[in-house]
Amino acid sequence: MSEPRSHAVLIDRLGTGLVPVRRLPPPALRALGWLLVVGAIAVVLSMHYGLAGMLQRWAAAPDLKWAGMGAVITTITAAWAAFALGVPGRPAAWAWLPLPGMLLWIGASGFGCLRSWIAPGTEVAGMHQSVDCLVFIVSFSIPLSALMIVLLRRACPLRPVLTAVMIGLASAAASASLLEICHAYDAAATDLLTHAAAVALVVAVNAAMGGRLLSRV
Amino acid sequence: MPQTLTVTGLMGLGCRHPTWTSAEPTVQADASAASASESPDQRRAAWMAAAQAGDRRAYEKVLADSVGLIRAAARRQGVALDRLDDVVQETLITVHRVRHTYDPTRSYDTWLSAIASRRAIDALRSRGRRDSRELHDEFAMETHAGPDDASAAAEQLQRAQRLHAAIARLPPGQREAVEQLGLREHSLSEAAELTGRNSGALKVNLHRALKALRGHFHGEP
């Protein structure tokens, strides 16, 4: 059988099995769906811990507020980028979208470490408390990453590792944002390093595991 | 041979496309009659939009029209001429599996080229892996040259011919399984789509074929 003939046979066979399909919603809309889950968790945490402590910390030390805002912006943009990369034909440049939010997040957190005074209602975290932060970020990142991987497996991420890195970043940033609600520790080098280690861990595990889970397309 | 592809058969392959109960008759009716003012890309976009709603005629047109684009994308990635048709087939199967990800407001050609480029890279990588495992003739001749080379080469050729003849004598189902899974190195799911058989039947056929071939060459039962 000649090759053009075999293409015709395959096309005929694919046509025979054709059924209507539900089109994938736009990436922004799909990202919004995932962000609503994060929002729901934030509401539950706010009801449990209250927002007064967070607002008091933010009012007293704007760097904490800006770091929190940076984490939220990173969450939104990384999620959007991940869902955009799940659609064939979308440029890889989407992966740059979370960069401004990340710079704000890291920059404000680093700036906070330079302060010589301690923000009211907080203390400088010791090693034990810092480990709690790491556990919090990793624990929340696992289900959030898993949810996004499930959602993205319905799409077609042609760059699975890059997409998985975006998933890891979005999940870790979302977890760090949620942590902000109940994070009674001031910015400090140990705390910043623990957060950075947690984010790096989540991103690395996603790149290794998520990349494989997404590459079967 | 069953000719129908089932959704369930495709569901296990990662990219999923839930069926859509309410088809869009307006899109379907207009899809086949493309206007002259449309660019080829727009025409293909309209066909694919109709295909997403279940229009088989538009689907077959857009797939047939895609073959040239896929070959061009594969050539750009550096795929050798003798592997182009494999990339075309892999891409067509992927397009079928992920057709729900196409957004008709965007370029069909860009969407298709991205998938074709990915499949071309996969083909190059699998070729690279195979080449790294295999001993090339030139290298083998240089490092293992000996007085028996001519007779060894002739014997190898005869063995290959005997193997091909034995494969050709297998029942059609078993032969197909060996060709798709063994010789063309397709995955079970790809072979299932190409042959229209389910993966369980392919596995059984391959197992039986290997048993028959072992029996043929080694006298095993």
Side-chain angles (χ1 to χ4, degrees):
Chain A
M1 192 193 293
S2 69
E3 288 297 349
R5 174 84 189 113
S6 77
H7 296 332
V9 169
L10 178 63
I11 289 169
D12 181 60
R13 205 163 273 166
L14 296 176
T16 307
L18 188 69
V19 287
V21 287
R22 192 173 63 233
R23 228 170 260 149
L24 206 62
L29 205 59
R30 303 191 75 214
L32 189 64
W34 181 82
L35 289 167
L36 282 177
V37 175
V38 179
I41 299 171
V43 168
V44 172
L45 286 177
S46 309
M47 285 165 67
H48 187 263
Y49 291 100
L51 290 174
M54 184 180 77
L55 295 175
Q56 188 196 352
R57 287 193 299 273
W58 283 9
D63 57 90
L64 292 178
K65 180 175 75 182
W66 286 116
M69 288 295 131
V72 171
I73 293 168
T74 306
T75 306
I76 296 167
T77 49
W80 192 2
F83 283 107
L85 289 170
V87 180
R90 301 292 171 103
W94 271 95
W96 292 106
L97 190 65
L99 189 65
M102 275 179 70
L103 289 177
L104 178 62
W105 183 16
I106 296 166
S109 302
F111 185 75
C113 298
L114 301 177
R115 264 191 288 113
S116 55
W117 48 274
I118 306 293
T122 69
E123 55 177 306
V124 173
M127 191 47 77
H128 184 69
Q129 290 94 333
S130 288
V131 171
D132 287 348
C133 293
L134 188 138
V135 171
F136 183 100
I137 291 177
V138 172
S139 309
F140 276 81
S141 293
I142 292 169
L144 289 174
S145 297
L147 174 65
M148 210 187 272
I149 287 171
V150 168
L151 291 172
L152 272 160
R153 276 171 62 84
R154 206 187 146 245
C156 186
L158 295 176
R159 296 181 186 85
V161 175
L162 188 60
T163 309
V165 167
M166 290 298 115
I167 293 174
L169 189 57
S171 308
S175 305
S177 306
L178 293 170
L179 176 63
E180 195 63 30
I181 296 169
C182 50
H183 191 244
Y185 304 115
D186 199 5
T190 46
D191 199 45
L192 177 62
L193 280 176
T194 320
H195 287 212
V199 173
L201 180 70
V202 171
V203 171
V205 170
N206 263 285
M209 304 279 292
R212 278 184 208 172
L213 288 167
L214 294 172
S215 61
R216 288 173 56 210
V217 291
Chain B
M1 186 195 300
Q3 296 287 312
T4 313
L5 276 166
T6 61
V7 180
T8 355
L10 299 168
M11 286 293 231
L13 297 172
C15 287
R16 297 179 177 192
H17 55 89
T19 54
W20 194 17
T21 45
S22 59
E24 287 177 345
T26 47
V27 179
Q28 243 176 300
D30 297 333
S32 303
S35 82
S37 60
E38 279 181 333
S39 73
D41 189 12
Q42 287 171 328
R43 193 180 62 226
R44 286 187 278 267
W47 283 338
M48 190 40 128
Q52 287 176 323
D55 183 344
R56 179 179 172 178
R57 210 149 59 94
Y59 189 47
E60 290 181 350
K61 276 185 185 173
V62 74
L63 290 186
D65 229 27
S66 301
V67 171
L69 290 170
I70 299 169
R71 291 176 72 91
R75 284 300 293 153
R76 278 198 300 276
Q77 294 294 332
V79 173
L81 283 171
D82 64 331
R83 292 279 293 160
L84 281 184
D85 286 308
D86 288 344
V87 175
V88 170
Q89 300 243 332
E90 306 286 347
T91 307
L92 289 177
I93 290 170
T94 308
V95 163
H96 182 74
R97 207 185 297 151
V98 305
R99 62 190 186 279
H100 65 289
T101 67
Y102 174 62
D103 176 356
T105 60
R106 291 175 169 265
S107 160
Y108 173 80
D109 291 4
T110 306
W111 179 81
L112 176 74
S113 297
I115 297 172
S117 300
R118 184 72 244 175
R119 289 295 162 255
I121 291 165
D122 290 346
L124 291 170
R125 283 185 182 157
S126 92
R127 183 66 170 255
R129 277 197 295 272
R130 205 161 49 238
D131 285 353
S132 69
R133 287 197 302 266
E134 287 173 354
L135 199 59
H136 291 284
D137 286 352
E138 279 175 33
F139 179 70
M141 289 294 284
E142 280 169 16
T143 51
H144 299 285
D148 299 331
D149 278 350
S151 61
E155 192 184 330
Q156 195 176 359
L157 185 65
Q158 282 175 359
R159 279 170 57 192
Q161 284 170 344
R162 281 205 300 275
L163 180 61
H164 278 289
I167 291 171
R169 279 198 297 275
L170 289 170
Q174 294 181 19
R175 188 172 64 238
E176 195 173 52
V178 172
E179 283 170 354
Q180 293 295 333
L181 297 167
L183 303 181
R184 295 180 76 103
E185 296 191 351
H186 281 132
S187 69
L188 261 179
S189 50
E190 290 163 349
E193 288 194 33
L194 284 166
T195 60
R197 292 178 190 276
N198 67 42
S199 52
L202 279 167
K203 274 196 272 191
V204 170
N205 277 335
L206 180 66
H207 177 72
R208 287 181 181 158
L210 294 179
K211 197 173 171 186
L213 291 173
R214 267 199 302 272
H216 180 80
F217 286 103
H218 301 297
E220 288 174 15

